[in-house]
Amino acid sequence: NNVVIESTKEQSYAKGYSLKVSNRTADWHGTKFMLDPSVFTIGNTYTFSAYAYSATPTDFKFTFSNGLSSFKQIDQEHCDGVNWVHLNGTFTVPSEVNPYGMYVYIENTGTTQGEGDNKTTDYNAFYIDEFTVLEGNHTGVEVTNAGVISLDGRDWICNLSNTDTKVTTSNNNKKQLIR
C-alpha cells in the first residue's frame, strides 16, 4: 500500500491548506485519527466534524472504531465533485473498547467505470480540512478558520495511514481539537 498523505495548498476549505489522501487502491484507504484514552473516556459523548472534498462525485464516510473490530458510522455525505461537504456527528464512547486502539477515520468510495471484464475502479484523491472534536453533543455546529489545536492541554497524536504526527497543545482551558 503506497497511500500518500500530505499537507497541500491544492484545495482547502479554510486557511489555504488541507490534508490530501492520494495514491489509493481501495475505498478504506483514508485518514485514521487515533483517540487518546486519557481524553476520550468511556461513557462520554463527543462531536466530530470535518470538511471533505473530491474532484469526482463520491460518498464520504466518517466512522468510529472501538479498536476491537466494531465500527459505528458517525456520518455519511455525498460530495458532488464541486463543493466541500460537512461530515458531522456525535457518539458516546462505548464500554467495550481497546483504549489504545480506538480511532476515527474518513474514507470515500471509488468511481467505477465500464462493465464486466472491462470494469475498473478509480480511487480518486480526496481532501480533509477543519477536523474538529468537541466534548458533548454539538451536532450541526460549524467551526471554521479556527487554526488552533487544543485538547485539554494534552498532546494529540494523529495516525494517518502509518504516519504518526505529534502535535503539542498549548491551551489548558479548552476541550477541543481543531485540525
Side-chain angles (χ1 to χ4, degrees), residues 25-160:
T25 57
D27 287 347
W28 58 271
H29 291 165
T31 59
K32 177 180 174 182
F33 302 92
M34 300 302 294
L35 303 179
D36 182 338
S38 69
V39 177
F40 295 93
T41 55
I42 293 171
N44 285 4
T45 299
Y46 301 90
T47 300
F48 287 82
S49 174
Y51 288 85
Y53 172 78
S54 172
T56 304
T58 188
D59 292 319
F60 281 98
K61 292 181 186 176
F62 203 169
T63 306
F64 167 79
S65 171
N66 69 352
L68 300 170
S69 300
S70 179
F71 303 91
K72 180 187 183 302
Q73 188 169 299
I74 297 170
D75 195 13
Q76 179 173 337
E77 298 291 336
H78 179 75
C79 177
D80 61 10
V82 177
N83 299 296
W84 285 79
V85 295
H86 185 207
L87 298 164
N88 182 283
T90 299
F91 80 96
T92 300
V93 177
S95 59
E96 190 172 315
V97 296
N98 170 352
Y100 297 98
M102 58 183 177
Y103 58 90
V104 294
Y105 66 96
I106 298 173
E107 63 185 339
N108 75 335
T109 55
T111 305
T112 303
Q113 300 170 341
E115 296 181 18
D117 292 339
N118 296 324
K119 190 175 185 179
T120 60
T121 302
D122 184 10
Y123 299 99
N124 304 302
F126 69 88
Y127 304 84
I128 302 297
D129 205 352
E130 296 294 310
F131 176 83
T132 307
V133 179
L134 300 172
E135 187 169 4
N137 186 343
H138 303 280
T139 303
V141 171
E142 293 191 29
V143 179
T144 59
N145 292 313
V148 266
I149 298 174
S150 177
L151 194 58
D152 200 20
R154 299 181 178 112
D155 290 346
W156 178 257
I157 302 216
C158 296
N159 179 350
L160 309 175

Side-chain angles (χ1 to χ4, degrees), residues 12-32:
S12 72
Y13 182 79
K15 294 199 172 191
Y17 285 91
S18 67
L19 183 71
K20 179 181 180 183
V21 182
S22 61
N23 204 32
R24 302 165 56 234
T25 57
D27 287 347
W28 58 271
H29 291 165
T31 59
K32 177 180 174 182

